[in-house]
């Protein structure tokens, strides 16, 4: 057994995903308690340059052509061997499509406890979301080795960046006979606006009461020199195209300002906005989970705020 923390890093098409840095930041906090090291585990093919800024004591790299794209079978085999080798205190995976795919399998194969949707560590306790993010639960890490899936929101990705850690090349176990292989990527359809590149987003959720109100939102976004984005219910209703969807099934966004109007902040939405410089949330429910990721929160009817804000912007435009 060791007190080390393994972080299963994620990357896609040559880019490290933010959840990797969030996990590295979380692992650092946890390692301070356990007295162990942070070890980043990198699966891929010719992907070692991606590890250059990981905040970790070491990188364990598994470099094989069959690991170029995510395959749950391959990932399971490699991680099973890695965990058996390292006997770490905890293994952090993203609460993402990839992480959720392998965490359950690892837990079953290795008979290890799994804590899901962990947002942060408080001492050596985990703090995780339950009931769709409405309740935070806290407890000690179970077992000798605990598997943990992490959601964004508890740590800033910047804190997961550091100096170039040493890379240890490790031999992958046999990867023949994989049942699942990537066939091709399906890119989201190109829309009129690329919300991932906008510096101001006015984002609306189910708090918007009818489709006609979108005109007011469009006007507000224009006055703020930004674009309109949305949570999933509005896209499901067909009020806005999929290209405007923020979240797990839409796009991750990194605007300078993200104004969330009538959005509850479900994990599938929040995970895609934590890269924003500034999040402002407006919601009638003071306990809405969106306030956990927002820098400024306003508990009020979004319609009242829109009216005051629009009036203020209009006055400013006249004064200029
Ligand atoms: C596999 C999967 C993938 C998903 N992918 C995504 C995704 O990519 N993006 C996404 O957004 N969701 C996604 N979801 C759905 C997600 O779980 C939530 O259901 C969704 O984000 C909720 O949207 P919402 O916050 O607009 O609605 P709700 O959760 O219904 O919240 C509406 C909020 O508006 C507030 N409100 C109501 N009226 C007002 C008012 N007048 N003024 C101010 N506040 C008001 C309420 O208090 C409430 O907090 C996914 C779910 C699954 C299972």
């Amino acid at each position: 057994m060791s007190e080390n923390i393994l972080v299963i890093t994620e990357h896609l098409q040559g880019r490290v995903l933010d959840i990797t840095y969030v996990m590295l930041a979380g692992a650092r906090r946890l390692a301070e308690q356990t007295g162990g090291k942070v070890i980043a585990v990198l699966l891929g093919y010719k992907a070692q340059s991606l590890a250059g800024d990981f905040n970790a004591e070491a990188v364990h790299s598994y470099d094989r052509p069959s690991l170029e794209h995510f395959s749950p079978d391959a990932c399971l085999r490699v991680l099973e061997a890695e965990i058996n080798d390292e006997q770490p205190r905890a293994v952090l995976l993203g609460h993402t499509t990839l992480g959720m795919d392998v965490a359950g399998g690892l837990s079953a194969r290795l008979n290890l406890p799994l804590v899901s949707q962990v947002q942060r560590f408080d001492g050596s306790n985990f703090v995780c979301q339950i009931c769709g993010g409405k309740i935070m639960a806290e407890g000690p890490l179970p077992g000798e080795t605990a598997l943990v899936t992490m959601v964004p929101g508890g740590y800033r990705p910047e804190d997961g960046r550091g100096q170039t850690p040493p890379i240890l090349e490790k031999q992958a176990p046999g990867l023949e006979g994989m049942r699942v292989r990537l066939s091709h990527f399906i890119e989201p359809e190109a829309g009129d606006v690329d919300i991932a590149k906008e510096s101001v987003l006015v984002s609306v959720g189910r708090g918007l009461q009818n489709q006609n109100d979108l005109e007011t939102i469009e006007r507000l976004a224009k006055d703020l020199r930004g674009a309109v984005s949305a949570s999933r219910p509005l896209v499901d209703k067909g009020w806005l195209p999929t290209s405007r969807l923020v979240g797990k099934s839409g796009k991750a966004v990194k605007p300078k300002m993200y104004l969330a109007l009538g959005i509850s902040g479900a994990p599938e939405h929040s995970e895609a906005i934590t890269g924003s410089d500034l999040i402002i949330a407006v919601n009638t429910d003071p306990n809405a989970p969106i306030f956990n990721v927002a820098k400024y929160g306003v508990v009020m009817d979004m319609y009242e705020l829109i009216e005051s804000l629009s009036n203020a912007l209009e006055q400013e435009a006249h004064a200029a």
Side-chain angles (χ1 to χ4, degrees), residues 204-207 209 230-233 245-250 261-266 268-269 282-285 288 300-303:
V204 274
R206 203 160 8 210
Q209 266 131 44
S231 66
R232 185 151 151 185
L245 174 61
V246 175
K248 185 188 273 303
S249 19
L261 302 171
I263 295 177
S264 61
E268 294 85 2
H269 187 88
V282 184
N283 201 302
T284 43
D285 174 6
M300 72 184 288
D301 188 325
M302 59 184 264
Y303 284 90

Side-chain angles (χ1 to χ4, degrees), residues 203-210 213 216-217 220 259-263 280-286 288 291 297-310:
S203 210
V204 274
R206 203 160 8 210
L208 191 80
Q209 266 131 44
N210 72 68
D213 298 339
T216 318
I217 305 294
L220 177 63
L259 178 58
L261 302 171
I263 295 177
I280 304 171
V282 184
N283 201 302
T284 43
D285 174 6
F291 292 131
V298 190
V299 180
M300 72 184 288
D301 188 325
M302 59 184 264
Y303 284 90
E304 282 178 37
L305 182 116
I306 292 166
E307 198 183 337
S308 321
L309 191 55
S310 301

Side-chain angles (χ1 to χ4, degrees), residues 202-271:
V202 178
S203 210
V204 274
R206 203 160 8 210
L208 191 80
Q209 266 131 44
N210 72 68
Q211 192 172 7
N212 293 339
D213 298 339
L214 273 173
E215 270 177 38
T216 318
I217 305 294
E218 289 282 0
R219 219 173 308 123
L220 177 63
K222 197 165 162 238
D223 289 346
L224 290 168
R225 297 196 180 83
V228 175
S229 56
S231 66
R232 185 151 151 185
L234 297 204
V235 172
D236 286 348
K237 283 186 199 176
W239 291 6
L240 281 158
T242 314
S243 55
R244 305 291 183 108
L245 174 61
V246 175
K248 185 188 273 303
S249 19
K251 282 193 171 171
V253 295
K254 292 183 174 186
K256 286 197 171 19
M257 184 181 82
Y258 188 81
L259 178 58
L261 302 171
I263 295 177
S264 61
E268 294 85 2
H269 187 88
S270 294
E271 70 181 49

Side-chain angles (χ1 to χ4, degrees), residues 83 86-88 98 106 124 150 197 205 213 234 247 250 266 297:
I83 295 168
E86 291 301 319
Q87 301 283 312
L98 183 153
L106 277 176
S124 51
M150 287 197 73
K197 294 191 180 138
D213 298 339
L234 297 204

Side-chain angles (χ1 to χ4, degrees), residues 89-132:
R89 177 66 194 92
V91 183
L92 311 191
L93 301 108
H95 192 77
T96 55
T97 312
L98 183 153
M100 285 191 283
D101 201 333
V102 293
L106 277 176
S107 172
R109 282 193 191 188
L110 297 169
N111 197 22
L112 294 178
L114 166 61
V115 190
S116 65
Q117 300 202 48
V118 170
Q119 196 186 58
R120 61 192 162 82
F121 298 101
D122 189 357
S124 51
N125 278 2
F126 65 80
V127 179
C128 75
Q129 299 178 340
I130 53 175
C131 299

